[in-house]
Amino acid sequence: MHLMSQPSHQPGRAEQFVGFSILLCLAGIAAGVWLRQFSFNPAVLAVATISPAAAKTVSTSPAGEASAALPPGLAALSSPENFGPDDVYNKIDGKADLYLTAGFVHLTCQRFALTATNDVWMEWFVYDMGTLPQAFSVLSLQRRAEAQPWDVTPYAYQTQNALYFVSGRFYVEAVTAMPLPAMLAGMKAMAQQFVAAHPPGPAEIPELKLFPSANLEAGSQGLQVADAFGFDGFTNVFTAKYQLPAGATNVEALAFLEITKTAGDAAKVRDAYRSFLLSNGGQELESAGAAALGKPINFMDGIEIIFTADNVVAGVHAAPDAASAAKVAQQLVDGLPKGKP
Amino acid sequence: MKIVTVRRIAQIFFFGLFAWFCVVTTVGDRWWQLRGWPVNWLLQLDPLVALGTLLTTRTIYAGLLWALVTVVLTILLGRFFCGWVCPFGALHQFIGWLGNRRKKHAERVAANQYRSGQVIKYYILIALLASASGGLLAEVLRWPREKPAAGLVVLVASLILTLWFAMQKVVNGWKQAAEWFAGLLFIGTVLGFLVQPEALVASSLQIGLLDPIPLFQRSLNLVILTAFDGLATASRFYLAAWSIAAVFFAALLLNWWIPRFYCRFICPLGALFGVLVRWTPWRVGKRQGECRGCELCENNCEGACDPFGKIHPHECLLCMNCLRACRQAQMTYGPNRSAAGEEPSPGITRRGFLTAAVSGLAAVPAVRLAGLTSQNWNPGVIRPPGALAEEDFLQRCIKCDQCVRVCPTNVIQPATLEAGLEGLWTPLLNYRVGTSGCQLNCIACGNVCPTAAIRPLTLDEKLGRGSFADHGPLRLGTAFVDRDRCLPWAMNKPCIVCQENCPVSPKAIYIREEFQVIHDGERTISAVAADRLTLDGAVLRPGTLGTGDYFVRLENAAAGERHLITDNSAQEVEFAAPFATAPSAGDRIFLEARLQQPCVDPAQCIGCGICEHECPVSGLRAIRVSAENESRNPRHSLTARS
Amino acid sequence: MSQANDFNQLARRDFLVRTAKAGAAIVTAGGVGFCLHDRQGPAANLAGKTVSLPDFSLPASTAPKLSIVTGADRVKTVNRALAALGGIERFIQSGDRVVLKVNAAFASPAALGATSHPDLVAEMTRLCLRAGAASVIVTDNPINDPQSCFALTGIARAAEAAGAKIALPMASSFQPTTLAGATLIKDWPLLIEPFKGVTKLIGLAPVKDHHRSGASLTMKNWYGLLGGRRNVFHQDIHTIILELARLVRPTLVILDGTMTMMTNGPTGGSLDDLKPTNMMIASTDAVAADAFGATLLGKTAASLPFIGKTAAAGLGTADFESLNPVRDHVD
């Protein structure tokens, strides 16, 4: 190779070739650098925002722990985001009320992608709800109709593109837009890791055991922490759906119960709810079942029954007719243990 | 496209890339933040960094293998790095051009003539490499002791060789070099038998002082970029920046005396390249032909390599300006040596070599006599989390100050002389500066260190979780409460800012509650009401006693019986609840402050410095971290269980 | 023309030679680079190699384990004590290299009883050499300056006169050691240099009261093998004695109770602190020796936590009577 100075200002063939290949190399370097910046430095993955405020609060985030050792095939696509009660609506908008009512403490979310194809990714949400029942509440209130059973924890279900479960005080959602088998497998593996790191807690929420199992629709148990059925006198109302066979179809009725401190408190709640219903257009009907169940109330075309059993106030909400309402209510009252549960 | 144009594009490209890397070296996932940008790439391409750490650690760490690319290309092509890649060189070239562009031809030729002083950079290189080689030499010298039989054989053999060479009266060249080698081997083996080599030699990596890439990196990061602080949320401070700036600007200004001054006379990297280009297949030179003697080629010769006369190929930076300038098509870059002849060597004399080598080698143990790496260690030197123990740290740190730049809270600072002469511009933590202490969840510094002087930690290791649970969290030092300055200890003023801000769980600062009578706190009651007492004596400052920390104790009260003051005026104090048994006028009472006096638990303290940063005693802080109990050196442990 | 051709040929050859050399340089650089490439980086604690002390103890046998001899003359009592255990020949054979770990902690004269008595050191040296030992090394890492300690206690002169070598601790004499399962002796400097090639270890300790641990006897004597800032272990003195007893397994320990320092240990300073209890104890079970030594101080083994800990760790027995100690008297 010979690069020669030229009397005129025309570079020779060799010179042009060399020059061009060097420029090509530079372009290659630029491309290499650009591609390299997609795989984040571990320091970036460790924290989302580093500010004195962030350091003072949660010192380790649940998703951060999960991302510290990811299942094979997954890699972090973005750094973790953290939200508190003040700004969680920035992430989930209107849904924030649901969580805030149920005692929301903290949300950490992060995106993960398949290492093989960066385009296929999922978003991982970890809601710290403070207690197991509160986490269960938000799980139950948002349960999708097409939910399929999943047993990673006692309270979990999956849909065709998402996983939802409760582990300890955390409610976790994993949602993907591209439900490839590899992606779903990765999400499940990550869920297993999360559950291993955060023990799921007691196998069952004790209050849920109070619902009799006959005709109980599987997975329909729920918990409304506050303002159940629009009434602000309720706190921590557990619900369960019952399917009563009526000919070819089933009749649905929602049973509910709240555990109060004393029998007097339970009676107060019952009376307050009754007057709430009556003063808002409810009409008392004649007793369909036992006298202890009290008179049913027709409220907005749904039959409401409410009664107390010691310190438990329970009943049926929005049943289609008085007979099925009474049946479910009777089942419920029979199932409740006498004396303080 | 002319080759000179391509070179300019390359220089602009690498300068821009380098500047971009400096800008993005800040933790975050936006496009203008760290993400995965390979911000150390130019440091990794720098073969002096690789060679220096190779000598001190006997390994080439991770990404430093990139230096092999530079070395291979240099061996094949020449000093392309200096002329096409080095951003510092590009800056020098630009400033030199600015200074010289109006000069006449004769002045420019004079500015670019070869000067014998250009050999100095080789001596600087030799001295720096010698200081890095101490450990290697110690290992070699230890060898006769450890394998005495083999050592004896080598001793005798080298003795015989030396005598034989001396008798043969050998002349220059290989034979003389061999004679020297044999002689040194003899002396070395004798020394190895007699002396403890560790006392004689040690290694220290000082290339970072003058290696252009680390130098430019720290200057750009710590001096130039701060000019753009108006764009950031908080301005950053760098304590030793004046010294960095001084060296930087001096180097730049010297270009107005002689262009590319630094490159020609000082740069040890350039010297290393100069050594490597001995056998380049292709080189710049004159063709056989009609040179008119116009010396236009020397007008813009960047390397001052004398292309007109006997070219110095080890000085040629491949700037190609001579190819562009020559009107007779005489300059070429090709397989033949220059027709006007080549100067084969940089002119390193044996005396110069030995002086440089011995100075470099001897400087290290001389400096170490201060004891800063052993018994006289400075507890004020708190190194970043993940830093190695001091001696190992000084063998790897190239003073690039990437860690200083990336630290999100600006607590990492370049040292001046705290860690000794060797520690100049190495990172240490100053908790008074910056926005907070060392953040619990941050692992940035180790993950940008190109040589692993600060190890790249995982969060698990830093916090002591997962597989590191039995090691516990990484400690930088321990906080010590200065009871003579701390408000609750020394001044009866309630304050527990340090305890509130301690980020570890359980907290490393616990409280000792004590009630102390305040100044002028012994009073007599002059009037009693249901929820207030009127006191005689000095006037109180209204409202100051209602903070929830002040109590009244009646003189004859049972132990521990105190009444919380909710408010006070000049003469009265108010209470929330009335007295169980009301006092009477004339009774004595004591106004007491409830002081929560902070105490540090050394088993929990990780030395993060957030307490020191938050302490309201803002001059000399009442709680200060020093390096006792730092994880990186078990010899500095404070408690038996380290 | 041919001149041009010659020139071209020379130039071509030169080019090829340079290219070949460049190629060789590239291969060398590449080789070095790839061989020494280190992807991992340095480990957390560059402890380097850790060393350990070999087990110098004799295999179990039916021979006596503990002898207690009363008498005022150290030389005589130690000879009798060794004879009671089977003679020095049971412990030292021809060719053995022996370390005598003495207590030279303070630069204090022998008469004050804070250090091993030079007469005892000299006699042990003589006995070992007579039994055929190839060399006897006397060593300790004193608290005060080593040179002055060995000199002012008289140990250096006595030992060298008897034919032993004094191994003064230097910076290079220590290497880090870690005791498996220990909490304190982790990566801690150990005085290892004098033990190179050594086959037997004998501990020589005086009986002393100790302010921190209650008593300084044969097991506490091993503290003198630690380097670094070992005072930090005083925060947990009984655990460190336990770990030392696990770390060091000697052939034999000699507990010199001729002049016992009853109070103000370990430095003492007044002759009133000493009491002539006139006992010499030789033992292969350091725990038992210390349990007996406690009685000389008027204490019980139960009142010294380190004895309970070492006994519980299986390093010996606190019930020294169960070993059927051989008792003797010599005037």
Side-chain angles (χ1 to χ4, degrees):
Chain A
M1 171 188 65
H2 248 281
L3 297 182
M4 296 204 316
S5 50
Q6 298 287 338
S8 63
H9 291 275
Q10 289 306 314
R13 196 93 65 81
E15 189 174 327
Q16 283 194 330
F17 176 74
V18 167
F20 186 70
S21 21
I22 290 175
L23 289 177
L24 218 57
C25 281
L26 294 184
I29 291 172
V33 167
W34 172 255
L35 286 175
R36 174 68 178 81
Q37 59 86 26
F38 283 113
S39 34
F40 285 12
N41 188 302
V44 175
L45 294 175
V47 219
T49 51
I50 302 175
S51 66
K56 279 184 218 165
T57 54
V58 180
S59 60
T60 59
S61 61
E65 283 181 35
S67 65
L70 292 171
L74 282 188
L77 189 60
S78 71
S79 45
E81 298 172 280
N82 287 284
F83 301 93
D86 301 328
D87 57 355
V88 65
Y89 65 87
N90 282 337
K91 181 72 184 177
I92 56 175
D93 200 35
K95 273 252 199 87
D97 286 333
L98 171 71
Y99 289 92
L100 290 168
T101 322
F104 170 81
V105 175
H106 189 85
L107 165 65
T108 306
C109 47
Q110 193 172 7
R111 290 191 189 84
F112 297 93
L114 288 180
T115 49
T117 38
N118 241 10
D119 296 336
V120 181
W121 56 271
M122 63 102 163
E123 191 160 7
W124 179 264
F125 299 82
V126 177
Y127 293 88
D128 178 351
M129 298 305 298
T131 67
L132 170 63
Q134 282 169 188
F136 167 74
S137 171
V138 293
L139 172 90
S140 62
L141 290 174
Q142 300 177 83
R143 194 186 181 89
R144 272 76 181 169
E146 66 273 18
Q148 297 294 313
W150 181 36
D151 59 358
V152 70
T153 64
Y155 305 111
Y157 67 93
Q158 55 178 321
T159 61
Q160 61 164 320
N161 71 318
L163 305 175
Y164 306 88
F165 65 96
V166 164
S167 188
R169 66 182 200 274
F170 299 106
Y171 167 64
V172 182
E173 292 185 352
V175 183
T176 177
M178 290 140 278
L180 301 180
M183 184 78 257
L184 292 169
M187 286 153 68
K188 286 206 172 153
M190 195 134 156
Q192 302 281 10
Q193 264 187 350
F194 186 90
V195 170
H198 303 92
E204 281 186 32
I205 295 173
E207 291 86 339
L208 295 177
K209 284 207 212 97
L210 294 173
F211 289 111
S213 45
N215 295 321
L216 174 62
E217 184 182 313
S220 66
Q221 295 98 323
L223 164 62
Q224 300 215 37
V225 173
D227 296 335
F229 314 142
F231 172 55
D232 59 5
F234 278 135
T235 330
N236 287 335
V237 170
F238 290 89
T239 60
K241 250 193 233 156
Y242 284 85
Q243 302 270 359
L244 297 172
T249 55
N250 279 344
V251 162
E252 255 183 33
L254 189 73
F256 66 90
L257 61 86
E258 175 188 333
I259 301 181
T260 61
K261 283 211 190 71
T262 62
D265 289 338
K268 276 203 200 114
V269 173
R270 173 201 61 201
D271 295 336
Y273 186 52
R274 284 188 82 88
S275 45
F276 165 77
L277 291 174
L278 293 169
S279 60
N280 282 306
Q283 282 171 334
E284 228 174 49
L285 305 171
E286 284 311 310
S287 286
L293 295 178
K295 296 207 168 78
I297 295 177
N298 182 332
F299 182 73
M300 313 281 212
D301 289 333
I303 310 295
E304 306 278 330
I305 292 186
I306 180 155
F307 60 91
T308 62
D310 203 0
N311 65 325
V312 180
V313 55
V316 177
H317 169 71
D321 60 82
S324 32
K327 219 172 169 181
V328 174
Q330 188 61 48
Q331 237 186 312
L332 192 55
V333 78
D334 290 338
L336 286 175
K338 311 293 174 263
K340 268 198 165 51
Chain B
M1 174 162 286
K2 281 188 283 206
I3 197 71
V4 166
T5 316
V6 178
R7 181 209 35 139
R8 288 186 184 139
I9 293 174
Q11 283 181 303
I12 293 171
F13 174 79
F14 283 106
F15 188 92
L17 194 66
F18 183 79
W20 178 245
F21 286 158
C22 289
V23 165
V24 298
T25 308
T26 164
V27 182
D29 57 1
R30 312 293 300 282
W31 61 271
W32 40 269
Q33 293 176 321
L34 185 59
R35 291 176 66 93
W37 294 108
V39 293
N40 285 331
W41 191 50
L42 276 136
L43 285 166
Q44 293 168 331
L45 284 173
D46 180 342
L48 189 55
V49 174
L51 182 59
T53 50
L54 179 61
L55 289 172
T56 53
T57 66
R58 263 73 85 207
T59 61
I60 294 185
Y61 170 68
L64 295 180
L65 203 58
W66 272 108
L68 208 54
V69 172
T70 315
V71 166
V72 168
L73 288 176
T74 305
I75 291 176
L76 290 177
L77 302 174
R79 285 175 62 176
F80 79 99
F81 192 91
C82 303
W84 293 58
V85 178
C86 180
F88 202 34
L91 188 58
H92 289 304
Q93 183 166 338
F94 178 68
I95 295 187
W97 172 78
L98 275 182
N100 281 337
R101 68 188 192 283
R102 288 200 218 248
K103 295 225 176 103
K104 293 207 261 303
H105 168 70
E107 281 176 333
R108 296 169 91 167
V109 170
N112 290 333
Q113 60 169 305
Y114 176 81
R115 289 175 173 81
S116 57
Q118 284 170 237
V119 76
I120 291 175
K121 60 180 182 289
Y122 293 91
Y123 295 135
I124 292 177
L125 175 69
I126 290 163
L128 291 173
L129 291 180
S131 356
S133 310
L136 207 53
L137 189 58
E139 269 185 33
V140 168
L141 287 180
R142 208 179 297 138
W143 197 61
R145 267 186 169 248
E146 311 219 307
K147 298 181 173 44
L152 208 54
V153 168
V154 169
L155 183 67
V156 170
S158 54
L159 183 60
I160 293 173
L161 264 177
T162 315
L163 290 173
W164 185 74
F165 279 134
M167 287 197 312
Q168 297 288 313
K169 290 202 191 19
V170 290
V171 290
N172 276 332
W174 285 109
K175 292 271 177 59
Q176 195 166 52
E179 174 196 300
W180 270 100
F181 181 68
L184 284 172
L185 206 55
F186 173 71
I187 295 171
T189 319
V190 169
L191 277 178
F193 275 118
L194 295 179
V195 169
Q196 296 282 355
E198 288 79 21
L200 212 56
V201 285
S203 44
S204 179
L205 193 63
Q206 296 302 313
I207 55 163
L209 293 172
L210 292 175
D211 187 342
I213 312 293
L215 190 153
F216 195 26
Q217 188 108 53
R218 67 174 170 265
S219 309
L220 197 56
N221 275 336
L222 272 49
V223 177
I224 307 298
L225 281 185
T226 55
F228 298 96
D229 262 344
L231 303 171
T233 47
S235 46
R236 292 171 69 92
F237 292 99
Y238 301 111
L239 269 43
W242 66 270
S243 54
I244 297 170
V247 169
F248 180 66
F249 288 117
L252 291 186
L253 288 175
L254 282 166
N255 291 308
W256 283 345
W257 174 28
I258 298 173
R260 282 230 187 201
F261 185 96
Y262 193 92
C263 307
R264 295 178 191 177
F265 296 98
I266 303 178
C267 184
L269 181 60
L272 180 62
F273 288 138
V275 167
L276 289 176
V277 300
R278 212 175 162 75
W279 299 309
T280 50
W282 297 279
R283 46 199 50 211
V284 169
K286 266 196 203 167
R287 286 169 61 219
Q288 295 267 50
E290 295 281 306
C291 169
R292 299 273 171 84
C294 64
E295 288 194 66
L296 271 176
C297 53
E298 305 238 336
N299 227 358
N300 289 314
C301 175
E302 291 295 327
C305 54
D306 195 8
F308 168 67
K310 249 182 157 195
I311 191 170
H312 297 249
H314 42 84
E315 301 295 316
C316 173
L317 310 178
L318 303 187
C319 66
M320 305 302 185
N321 281 340
C322 49
L323 265 74
R324 179 169 172 266
C326 181
R327 302 277 161 76
Q328 265 65 42
Q330 287 301 297
M331 297 306 300
T332 162
Y333 178 76
N336 297 330
R337 296 187 194 250
S338 181
E342 277 184 359
E343 197 62 53
S345 95
I348 304 173
T349 63
R350 191 191 317 156
R351 183 187 300 181
F353 178 93
L354 282 177
T355 311
V358 171
S359 314
L361 212 52
V364 182
V367 164
R368 293 270 166 100
L369 284 173
L372 285 166
T373 50
S374 63
Q375 286 184 324
N376 192 22
W377 65 282
N378 183 350
V381 172
I382 302 169
R383 295 266 188 219
L388 301 173
E390 193 65 7
E391 276 198 40
D392 303 308
F393 181 82
L394 291 171
Q395 289 186 338
R396 284 184 180 255
C397 181
I398 55 171
K399 309 158 203 280
C400 65
D401 289 350
Q402 287 282 66
C403 51
V404 179
R405 165 83 180 115
V406 84
C407 177
T409 51
N410 194 207
V411 288
I412 305 184
Q413 297 291 328
T416 43
L417 293 177
E418 294 89 333
L421 217 52
E422 294 179 85
L424 185 65
W425 301 329
T426 56
L428 46 73
L429 269 59
N430 182 323
Y431 294 123
R432 287 183 67 215
V433 184
T435 54
S436 183
C438 173
Q439 295 301 288
L440 213 55
N441 288 302
C442 176
I443 47 172
C445 47
N447 281 293
V448 297
C449 180
T451 55
I454 307 172
R455 288 180 301 114
L457 297 175
T458 56
L459 258 190
D460 274 356
E461 184 176 356
K462 187 173 192 221
L463 300 174
R465 318 184 291 218
S467 45
F468 294 92
D470 53 350
H471 285 94
L474 203 96
R475 291 185 307 270
L476 303 178
T478 309
F480 290 86
V481 177
D482 185 346
R483 295 186 178 180
D484 289 336
R485 296 180 69 85
C486 176
L487 297 177
W489 283 104
M491 298 192 179
N492 283 352
K493 292 211 83 55
C495 171
I496 45 161
V497 174
C498 55
Q499 190 257 6
E500 285 170 357
N501 282 285
C502 179
V504 296
S505 173
K507 286 192 190 268
I509 301 178
Y510 59 93
I511 298 298
R512 178 207 285 199
E513 196 171 79
E514 185 149 318
F515 289 89
Q516 294 217 3
V517 179
I518 64 177
H519 184 53
D520 282 341
E522 210 180 294
R523 298 300 189 95
T524 319
I525 303 175
S526 58
V528 179
D531 63 344
R532 65 188 64 202
L533 298 174
T534 313
L535 308 172
D536 64 4
V539 155
L540 299 165
R541 287 177 56 204
T544 51
L545 299 182
T547 58
D549 296 301
Y550 293 92
F551 295 78
V552 157
R553 177 168 59 88
L554 304 177
E555 190 175 14
N556 295 316
E561 195 186 325
R562 293 181 171 87
H563 304 271
L564 179 65
I565 298 174
T566 50
D567 200 358
N568 74 293
S569 64
Q571 296 290 154
E572 294 180 337
V573 287
E574 269 177 45
F575 304 93
F579 288 90
T581 46
S584 351
D587 281 356
R588 259 206 322 179
I589 58 120
F590 298 96
L591 296 171
E592 289 186 335
R594 182 192 53 201
L595 300 170
Q596 293 168 304
Q597 297 173 325
C599 304
V600 174
D601 180 1
Q604 288 292 122
C605 180
I606 56 170
C608 71
I610 291 178
C611 55
E612 181 175 344
H613 189 267
E614 302 303 323
C615 178
V617 182
S618 56
L620 180 61
R621 307 277 158 126
I623 182 168
R624 298 187 294 278
V625 178
S626 56
E628 283 89 349
N629 222 19
E630 54 182 354
S631 297
R632 71 179 180 129
N633 193 338
R635 312 278 176 268
H636 297 168
S637 74
L638 198 58
T639 54
R641 283 183 173 74
S642 53
Chain C
M1 205 51 171
S2 77
Q3 211 180 25
N5 266 345
D6 284 341
F7 173 76
N8 276 343
Q9 264 199 324
L10 279 172
R12 165 93 40 85
R13 193 178 325 147
D14 180 56
F15 173 77
L16 290 173
V17 165
R18 283 205 315 271
T19 312
K21 287 185 183 171
I26 288 172
V27 166
T28 315
V32 168
F34 281 106
C35 273
L36 297 177
H37 188 218
D38 168 24
R39 208 165 273 268
Q40 292 293 95
N45 261 324
L46 291 180
K49 294 185 301 187
T50 59
V51 299
S52 60
L53 273 180
D55 185 349
F56 296 108
S57 58
L58 294 179
S61 73
T62 51
K65 294 193 170 57
L66 175 65
S67 68
I68 302 167
V69 176
T70 49
D73 184 331
R74 284 186 175 83
V75 171
K76 289 191 189 153
T77 50
V78 76
N79 272 287
R80 190 67 68 85
L82 287 169
L85 293 184
I88 188 73
E89 300 75 24
R90 172 182 165 200
F91 304 100
I92 309 292
Q93 284 87 40
S94 170
D96 267 332
R97 305 179 92 81
V98 184
V99 162
L100 295 181
K101 163 61 180 76
V102 299
N103 181 334
F106 306 101
S108 125
L112 290 181
T115 51
S116 299
H117 201 280
D119 292 347
L120 181 62
V121 178
E123 184 60 16
M124 285 304 300
T125 306
R126 271 192 287 273
L127 286 169
C128 291
L129 290 172
R130 217 179 297 150
S135 69
V136 176
I137 297 170
V138 171
T139 192
D140 184 23
N141 181 23
I143 295 172
N144 303 143
D145 166 62
Q147 190 94 9
S148 11
C149 285
F150 276 99
L152 289 172
T153 52
I155 292 177
R157 185 168 335 143
E160 280 164 352
K165 269 202 303 271
I166 304 287
L168 287 176
M170 299 201 288
S172 53
S173 314
F174 294 87
Q175 298 282 341
T177 190
T178 301
L179 179 65
T183 51
L184 303 178
I185 303 185
K186 277 203 289 218
D187 186 35
W188 199 269
L190 179 72
L191 180 61
I192 195 69
E193 180 74 25
F195 288 92
K196 294 238 167 96
V198 161
T199 50
K200 296 282 160 69
L201 169 62
I202 300 179
L204 303 178
V207 177
K208 299 197 297 183
D209 165 58
H210 195 280
H211 208 97
R212 194 92 183 88
S213 59
S216 175
L217 303 162
T218 61
M219 293 192 285
K220 174 101 179 23
N221 192 27
W222 307 127
Y223 212 106
L225 293 178
L226 295 178
R229 299 196 56 76
R230 56 191 170 171
N231 351 334
V232 95
F233 295 138
H234 270 65
Q235 299 167 18
D236 201 348
I237 192 75
H238 297 286
T239 308
I240 190 64
I241 297 177
L242 166 66
E243 293 188 5
L244 284 167
R246 286 180 51 212
L247 183 71
V248 186
R249 285 142 303 162
T251 315
L252 176 66
V253 292
I254 311 274
L255 184 58
D256 181 2
T258 311
M259 273 299 216
T260 297
M261 185 184 291
M262 299 297 295
T263 57
N264 291 324
T267 46
S270 161
L271 288 171
D272 294 336
D273 298 326
L274 302 176
K275 178 171 155 192
T277 44
N278 290 332
M279 297 265 196
M280 185 67 71
I281 299 107
S283 177
T284 57
D285 180 336
V287 183
D290 283 6
F292 180 75
T295 64
L296 297 180
L297 291 164
K299 304 186 181 182
T300 60
S303 68
L304 298 172
F306 65 85
I307 295 191
K309 281 185 194 238
T310 46
L315 296 166
T317 174
D319 180 7
F320 54 85
E321 291 294 353
S322 69
L323 296 178
N324 293 323
V326 181
R327 287 186 158 85
D328 202 346
H329 173 80
V330 64
D331 290 313

